[in-house]
């Protein structure tokens, strides 16, 4: 589904649905970007801003997680790549070069851990905000008016009649 097909407000706004972190419009899966565009034109400004900020937090959190994991992998690879070959060549392992490598790789690993620990709450809170904004949007939609069928007694030209309204 194209975002242009969804963003223009219609007379009857459709609810958005979600399953986990997947969003659906009229049963079709849409991206977070398309969902944000739909809310921009069809929802209150507060609901749109909540979704937008949640999406920013979610994206930032994943960026921090990726950076942290990359730094940790680099520190591990750096340590193993230098220490293992160096110690295999020597008959008796020496602590001097290993200590120097550890002094280099430990701050990198600590930085990676800090990025990872910071990213996890941002992903969780951002996803929760996006979900809450979808729920708030669906609650804000007017209830569909259903035709109520009923019987009534009404005056007719020949007296009183029974009428069925639908």
């Amino acid at each position: 589904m194209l975002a242009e097909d969804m963003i223009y407000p219609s007379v009857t706004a459709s609810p958005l649905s979600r399953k986990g972190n997947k969003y659906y419009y009229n049963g079709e899966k849409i991206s977070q970007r398309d969902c944000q565009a739909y809310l921009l034109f069809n929802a209150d400004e507060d609901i749109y801003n909540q979704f937008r900020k949640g999406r920013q937090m979610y994206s930032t959190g994943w960026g921090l997680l990726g950076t942290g994991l990359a730094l940790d992998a680099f520190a591990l690879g750096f340590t193993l790549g230098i220490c293992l070959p160096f110690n295999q060549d020597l008959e008796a392992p020496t602590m001097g070069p290993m200590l120097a490598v550890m002094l280099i790789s430990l701050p990198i690993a600590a930085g990676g851990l800090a990025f990872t620990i910071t990213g996890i709450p941002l992903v969780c809170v951002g996803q929760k905000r996006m979900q809450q904004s979808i729920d708030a949007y669906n609650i804000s939609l007017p209830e569909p008016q259903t035709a109520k069928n009923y019987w009534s007694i009404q005056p007719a030209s020949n007296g009183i009649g029974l009428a069925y309204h639908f």
Side-chain angles (χ1 to χ4, degrees), residues 12-18 24-27 38 134 137-139 141-142:
T12 57
S14 299
L16 295 170
S17 59
R18 63 175 177 82
Y24 298 91
Y25 174 76
N26 287 338
Y38 180 80
I134 296 298
Y137 169 73
N138 288 337
I139 289 171
L141 293 176

Side-chain angles (χ1 to χ4, degrees), residues 19-68:
K19 290 181 185 173
N21 200 29
K22 296 177 181 160
Y23 301 97
Y24 298 91
Y25 174 76
N26 287 338
E28 292 185 39
K29 185 180 173 188
I30 58 173
S31 66
Q32 290 177 354
R33 185 178 43 122
D34 290 340
C35 188
Q36 183 175 338
Y38 180 80
L39 291 175
L40 174 64
F41 290 100
N42 292 299
D44 292 338
E45 187 175 347
D46 293 337
I47 293 172
Y48 167 72
N49 286 333
Q50 182 180 6
F51 188 89
R52 183 179 55 81
K53 288 176 184 174
R55 186 169 172 236
Q56 287 173 345
M57 288 178 74
Y58 183 79
S59 298
T60 303
W62 275 112
L64 289 172
L65 268 170
T67 303

